[in-house]
Amino acid sequence: MRRSYLNCSQMLRLLLSLLVAASAGVVGHSRNPSICELVDAQLPGRVSYPGTAGYNNSQKAYFAGQERDLSPGCVFRPTNTDDVSRFVKLVGSERQSGRSPRGSRPSSPKFAVRAGGHSLWAGAANMNGGITVDLRSLNSVVVSDDGAVARIGGGAVYSSDVFPEVVKHNVTVMGGRIPGIGVGGFTTAGGMTFLSRRNGWTCDNVYGYEVVLASGEVVYATASSSPDLWLALKGGSSNFGIVTRFDVAAFPQDLMWGGVILFNYSQSVLEGHAEAFSNFMRPENFDDLAMMSIIFGFTNAGGSPTFSVSDAIFYSDGVEFPPVYQNFTSMPGILPVNTLALNNVADLVNGFGAVLPQSVDRIYELVYSFKTSDAALYKQLFRAWEKWTDTIADIQGVSVQYLIQPLPVTNGTNSLGLTPNAKDGVTVCITATYPNAADDKVVEKRVKAFLEGQVKILRKKDLFIPFQYLGYADKSQDPIGSYGRAIKRQLQAVSRKYDPNGLFQDGISGSFKVFA
């Protein structure tokens, strides 16, 4: 086994950092160097500390205020897979050396891992103290000569790194539909995309993962090599290692049609959407080129309660106003202002993002799923949504989105626990944004009350599905548990095999743990 030693310059760097600490008032007793200092000594030039430009730029790039409010001891920005491997070996070594006298539980230098940094809850991809690993320099995108495979770095962002490159080759990949989404967290969570009704989840289309295990070993997991790890990474999040490259299917793609339609908010428009969406979801109307979502909005940010409704509709073939969307595009109440157009996927994502905030102060989101039914169900759910907004209208500056969309039609090569080829699944996320941290508890309580009310309606009709999409779930939810007991046990077995000392259970901040 190859061992890593400090060379002379690295040793000098470490000694200098200790002398600086001593001059700050630690003289007179010894102390162990922090994990930040150790990583900085072994991997110089990749660690940034509070107050530096690198640190501040990393912190400012998080989407949610809850993540920006956290203060890691330092930020480590690896430039290649070997950097990540050396980091994990160092953390693992420090963890083992910190075992208690009884050897029952190792102490753990804490770290967080972020790619795009678009997660919503505090600690999902950042932390207080410890070290945050910012993967965004691992952003390479290489399309194979035959255009069938894209090899994408684990820190790449779809809107800025991936889509601008793949469109040059007249192909696309399964990726995020709004700006700022990172490949790493999105893909290991599952990944919902424009092509989800045809090609399933993003993770259904991963051929191989280059992943750094808890030992620091780098493996390439595929269906034939480490198949258990390959399957576990398809929905298992960051429980098994740090993925430094995803090799994914690329699909021929010229122009795609779509955008956002806005409506005047009225009861007839709500009822029209109930009819149109239930019709869209009927098996006989299934069109695998179509992916859409309905977005109901409520805000008091302008000083008075305001409702809105819009549709985000996309068609992966270059056809304008396809028949599958006729009930939406011809609905009375539609406003003349919309973003419907033929575009390549890169421009489509950026255009969609133009109507969305680039960051938020405070945000809270919950997710649930169910099987589709007739228009009466949707009318009942929509009325309950509208009535519930009265309970949150007193929160200063609050804006709420109630987003409903089809679940991807999976081929079953994942760990999500959904029925392969099922076309009747629907998922909903309710998202509240607001400016004041003092309102966190009351917002969480009221949004949870909304979810409970929706679930009660669905359970009575025997339509509720336990599945919670990890990419939309809050830390108070249990997406991995929602995959089912048998799958969770499989994921736990994979964790024990590849991470026997639990580095990615105890050492890493955030994520949803398989042993929770």
Side-chain angles (χ1 to χ4, degrees), residues 66-130:
Q66 287 98 319
E67 288 279 69
R68 295 194 300 273
D69 288 346
L70 301 178
S71 300
C74 63
V75 174
F76 168 56
R77 192 156 185 174
T79 58
N80 53 49
T81 298
D82 185 62
D83 286 352
V84 177
S85 173
R86 293 172 65 187
F87 167 80
V88 172
K89 287 177 181 177
L90 180 58
V91 171
S93 175
E94 287 299 296
R95 176 181 165 85
Q96 292 303 308
S97 67
R99 283 188 180 275
S100 65
R102 296 169 57 187
S104 59
R105 190 74 166 180
S107 64
S108 178
K110 295 291 185 180
F111 64 100
V113 179
R114 63 90 54 96
H118 213 273
S119 299
L120 303 186
W121 45 273
N126 201 12
M127 65 185 306
N128 279 321

Side-chain angles (χ1 to χ4, degrees), residues 325-398:
Y325 289 129
Q326 183 178 1
N327 290 334
F328 296 96
T329 57
S330 63
M331 189 182 303
I334 192 169
L335 296 172
V337 179
N338 64 68
T339 63
L340 296 176
L342 285 170
N343 273 310
N344 63 48
V345 67
D347 291 339
L348 198 64
V349 168
N350 288 325
F352 192 29
V355 301
L356 300 172
Q358 295 183 357
S359 64
V360 294
D361 293 323
R362 312 296 295 177
I363 189 165
Y364 182 69
E365 182 171 272
L366 295 175
V367 64
Y368 60 96
S369 304
F370 61 93
K371 291 184 179 181
T372 191
S373 187
D374 57 19
L377 169 70
Y378 292 103
K379 289 178 183 179
Q380 186 177 2
L381 294 175
F382 297 169
R383 285 194 300 269
W385 136 260
E386 193 174 48
K387 183 178 180 180
W388 169 79
T389 59
D390 291 340
T391 71
I392 204 164
D394 62 324
I395 304 297
Q396 180 184 353
V398 73

Side-chain angles (χ1 to χ4, degrees), residues 12-36:
L12 178 60
R13 187 181 181 90
L14 178 57
L15 290 173
L16 286 173
S17 69
L18 296 177
L19 287 172
V20 169
S23 67
V26 195
V27 178
H29 64 277
S30 63
R31 73 172 182 88
N32 293 324
S34 71
I35 186 63
C36 290

